[in-house]
Amino acid sequence: MTYVVTDNCIACKYTDCVEVCPVDCFYEGENMLVIHPDECIDCGVCEPECPADAIRPDTEPDMDEWVEFNRKYSQVWPVIITRKDPLPEATERDGETGKREKYFSEAPGEGG
């Protein structure tokens, strides 16, 4: 089992999760985070830290797509280990549907 970041992180990018990760397996895109599924040790400490409920175990239904999504972008985005402020629109975008199609950016974040 591993944990993955899903579409509710898009346009929110809360980073509370990166502070508790013992293996630094979070990677930062311009407007979301991902988890490298091969680096995640399945400890689960990140899941309750996410205010947007965007971190899910890969054992939930329909998570295969998100495992591959997280794998793809964790290989090209920089690692993030420091908490940062969420995106300005985080509160209004939290829980919105269709965020991947509307807002997702392949651009990397700054990392750090």
Side-chain angles (χ1 to χ4, degrees):
M1 185 178 88
T2 188
Y3 286 84
V4 293
V5 179
T6 61
D7 59 340
N8 205 41
C9 183
I10 300 168
C12 290
K13 198 165 84 168
Y14 292 103
T15 57
D16 306 63
C17 52
V18 303
E19 284 192 316
V20 298
C21 181
V23 294
D24 302 334
C25 64
F26 281 89
Y27 292 79
E28 183 183 15
E30 179 179 38
N31 68 354
M32 77 172 294
L33 304 177
V34 293
I35 296 172
H36 194 303
D38 299 330
E39 295 174 0
C40 176
I41 60 170
D42 313 325
C43 67
V45 297
C46 59
E47 186 180 20
E49 295 300 317
C50 181
D53 194 31
I55 300 173
R56 312 302 311 153
D58 71 346
T59 53
E60 289 187 359
D62 303 318
M63 286 293 127
D64 290 344
E65 175 186 355
W66 286 107
V67 171
E68 290 312 310
F69 180 94
N70 277 247
R71 178 175 280 112
K72 175 182 178 179
Y73 290 102
S74 65
Q75 293 173 351
V76 295
W77 289 348
V79 70
I80 178 172
I81 59 172
T82 306
R83 187 179 185 279
K84 299 178 181 180
D85 290 335
L87 296 176
E89 65 271 19
T91 303
E92 67 185 67
R93 298 276 188 248
D94 188 3
E96 186 177 327
T97 59
K99 288 169 57 168
R100 187 171 172 185
E101 294 77 19
K102 291 187 237 178
Y103 309 118
F104 175 68
S105 168
E106 290 186 351
E110 295 177 8

